[in-house]
Amino acid sequence: MRRKIMHLWLTLMLSFSLLPSLAYAEEASFSLTVDNDSPAIGQTFQVTVTGDRLTDMYGYEINLTFDTSQLRYVKAETKVPGFSVPLEPKGGDLVFAHTKVGKVAGESGKVILATITFEATGTSTEPAAVALTEVELVKSDLTATNHVTNAKLSVTPVAKKPAVVFTDLDGHWAKQEIERAAGLGFVNGYPDGTFRPQNAVTRAEFIAMIARAMELPPSGVAATDFADQEAIPDWAKPSIAEAQAAGVITGYEDGTFRPHSLINRTEMVAMVVRALDLTLDEGAQPSFADTDSIGAWAQPYVAAAAEAGLVNGRGNNQFVPAANTTRAEAVVLILRMLALASD
């Protein structure tokens, strides 16, 4: 089906501008290269797909496979003039199509077909494989040739050593995510070596996590203008000032920030949506079973977060807007936020 779509697309684009086709003098060949074969968890790297001995290449489609247990697809792009159609991967199958437009010559010789960005997301005893399985080349007269390839490479993601070796994460569902977050530097443990993943998160703690994760720029001011400024801990003041300057937080109607109050799921989602600058549909309502219990002001925020895949419901599709957030839940949400910000 995808190949039929590409043929139809190329036919429409080229029907008014066909150029004479030249026979391929030699069989085209393809290769994969990687700019970092040992990326750290959370680090992005690029795989380059190169074609050689090409003749009159007007359009092409490349098909790759990759290990989804250790790698996450970020984007695909090319510097070849024309239009690209990167299709979202299905499982570990990735398709990238591109065509020139108008009465121009096809590409010949050695050409970089695509640069594909992945993020290392997990480690394993086995390296993560990326393979180029098939390339379809289309000439300017719309004749096509298929090339089955055995080009492949492997990368070995390595875990960053956590800033703290946490002693209370064995068997916890978010152990890998928490250690990754510690490696990225936006969460810390406690002096006794624990992380305390089930502890509730205060508003000051959550904002500090977001400010570090998003690397918010310094606000340029020494303090915020909240009415309870003196209640904000010294360690949190820079992060809260940065978040206020960036529009991530606004405080309560009485002008306070309430740094020691436990953050609930509604507040957490609103802050993340603002940090990502997601577009809000003021009339949108999320599809949770308890949507009526979500404040009217917050429903567009929750709807945007759910649409972006940032949050899910709890049991029976309940959002539970007033429930407090645990440190583990906060870490997982911020990692999703970072993944969305990098797309």
Side-chain angles (χ1 to χ4, degrees):
M1 176 60 72
R2 291 184 175 186
R3 187 161 293 123
K4 290 180 180 178
I5 292 173
M6 181 177 175
H7 277 307
L8 177 59
W9 177 48
L10 285 169
T11 300
L12 292 173
M13 299 291 270
L14 300 176
S15 60
F16 59 90
S17 59
L18 297 181
L19 297 176
S21 174
L22 301 175
Y24 284 100
E26 297 181 86
E27 178 71 14
S29 64
F30 305 92
S31 61
L32 295 177
T33 55
V34 63
D35 66 350
N36 183 0
D37 62 5
S38 299
I41 299 299
Q43 184 177 11
T44 59
F45 63 94
Q46 293 184 327
V47 172
T48 300
V49 183
T50 303
D52 200 2
R53 298 193 294 271
L54 305 177
T55 305
D56 187 33
M57 182 191 70
Y58 201 92
Y60 56 90
E61 177 184 290
I62 59 178
N63 292 261
L64 296 97
T65 61
F66 64 96
D67 183 354
T68 57
S69 68
Q70 299 187 69
L71 307 178
R72 183 182 71 86
Y73 166 75
V74 177
K75 64 180 178 179
E77 54 193 348
T78 182
K79 292 185 178 179
V80 176
F83 288 96
S84 298
V85 181
L87 302 179
E88 283 298 318
K90 291 188 175 181
D93 296 324
L94 172 65
V95 177
F96 179 79
H98 184 80
T99 182
K100 291 194 162 193
V101 179
K103 193 173 182 180
V104 296
E107 301 288 330
S108 296
K110 190 173 185 177
V111 179
I112 294 178
L113 303 180
T115 302
I116 303 166
T117 302
F118 293 96
E119 179 191 6
T121 58
T123 60
S124 171
T125 56
E126 297 294 330
V130 179
L132 181 65
T133 58
E134 184 178 3
V135 179
E136 181 178 14
L137 299 177
V138 182
K139 295 185 182 182
S140 55
D141 64 358
L142 296 187
T143 59
T145 55
N146 292 319
H147 304 261
V148 177
T149 82
N150 60 358
K152 61 180 63 176
L153 55 79
S154 62
V155 296
T156 305
V158 295
K160 287 185 178 180
K161 185 178 180 180
V164 178
V165 178
F166 303 121
T167 60
D168 57 345
L169 294 183
D170 287 347
H172 193 274
W173 64 270
K175 180 178 186 296
Q176 183 177 4
E177 290 85 353
I178 292 168
E179 291 180 347
R180 180 183 169 201
L184 292 174
F186 69 82
V187 293
N188 299 305
Y190 291 90
D192 64 358
T194 62
F195 182 77
R196 307 178 195 176
Q198 297 309 117
N199 276 18
V201 179
T202 67
R203 286 167 54 82
E205 288 172 332
F206 189 71
I207 281 300
M209 291 182 193
I210 285 185
R212 295 189 200 112
M214 296 293 285
E215 297 180 349
L216 296 179
S219 65
V221 297
T224 65
D225 58 2
F226 293 117
D228 56 348
Q229 169 67 25
E230 296 305 316
I232 299 175
D234 289 341
W235 59 264
K237 285 180 179 177
S239 296
I240 292 173
E242 292 161 7
Q244 186 182 34
V248 176
I249 54 175
T250 57
Y252 291 94
E253 291 181 356
D254 63 359
T256 61
F257 177 69
R258 306 177 194 175
H260 300 292
S261 295
L262 299 182
I263 192 168
N264 61 44
R265 284 167 58 82
T266 300
E267 294 171 329
M268 175 182 68
V269 164
M271 291 178 186
V272 167
V273 168
R274 292 189 194 116
L276 287 170
D277 197 24
L278 296 182
T279 300
L280 294 181
D281 178 354
E282 294 300 332
Q285 290 185 318
S287 58
F288 295 109
D290 58 347
T291 290
D292 289 345
S293 66
I294 302 171
W297 71 268
Q299 290 190 11
Y301 288 96
V302 176
E307 177 69 22
L310 290 167
V311 292
N312 302 308
R314 291 186 175 179
N316 299 317
N317 194 34
Q318 301 280 324
F319 179 68
V320 198
N324 296 132
T325 300
T326 67
R327 283 166 57 81
E329 290 173 330
V331 162
V332 171
L333 176 61
I334 292 175
L335 287 174
R336 290 175 184 167
M337 177 184 73
L338 290 177
L340 190 61
S342 68
D343 286 346

